[in-house]
Amino acid sequence: MTLKFVVMSDLHLVGHGATSMTLDTADRLERAVACVNDRYADADFCIIAGDLADAAEVEAYERLREITGRIGIPTYITLGNHDDRDAYLSVFGADQADETGKVNHVIDAKGYRVIVLDSSEPGRVDGVLTAAQLAWLTARLAEAADRPIVVVLHHNANALHIEADTIKLHDDAPFIAALKTHDDVRQVIAGHVHLTSTATYHGLPFTTLAGGHYSVDFNADQPSTPFRSLTGPGQMAVILGTPHSTTVLFDDFLNDHSIIAVHTPGD
Ligand SMILES: [Fe+2]
């Protein structure tokens, strides 16, 4: 009995006829959905980890609903810094927000608990988990003390030694403390940075996936060094969980790497 689920992130959908960073993001999502249906139709569920829309127009969320409606497995969605919660809820329903006011989910499957956290905060680019969410998280972890945990959210909690460290999850210490109330957190998976990474942070395993939009060519520990935006990969993560192993694989459903732009930090 192996848990299998897919994580997408950073769709950055726009209105009909528009592009984002030169890219047709709706077409890229269509390709991602086709990949899930072709290769992971046997998965337990799919999670979409935020930055659903690029500029948070209602039309973009309507496109999201239309295209993700073709995913053949249950799909759980949360928000990122590019999203607008009210616009999202106006399309997907107010009941998508829970008692914390945010779009969190808890999924129990194949002996695991998977917790999805909404780290978006209106008016901010970095991520915020509120006190109410941290209390909610701690309670959900306590209920599942006997089971492995995977957490999925938009913002990376750990710094990656790159330019984007300034917009990671704000004040991560209470989040780490909440996670440490459980003794079997197998992975914390995020999008946001548009690149693939793995790390340990305070003894916990953290992963980022490149997601569906442009990918970032990092400037590790050289914050004044130019870095590039690339057309790919368009990437999803595939998580496989057994009682004693939790594996994250990466599926590059689009594998082109053309240069879109070169960024000089500070310009
Ligand atoms: Fe993004």
Side-chain angles (χ1 to χ4, degrees), residues 156 158 187-191 196-199 205-209 237 248 250:
N156 52 304
N158 54 312
Q187 269 292 343
V188 182
I189 299 170
T196 316
S197 74
T198 70
F206 289 81
T207 295
T208 63
L209 64 145
V248 184
F250 298 96

Side-chain angles (χ1 to χ4, degrees), residues 10 12 51 81-82 154 192 194 213:
D10 296 281
H12 289 263
D51 279 4
N81 50 288
H82 278 258
H154 182 71
H192 189 48
H194 295 213
H213 199 204

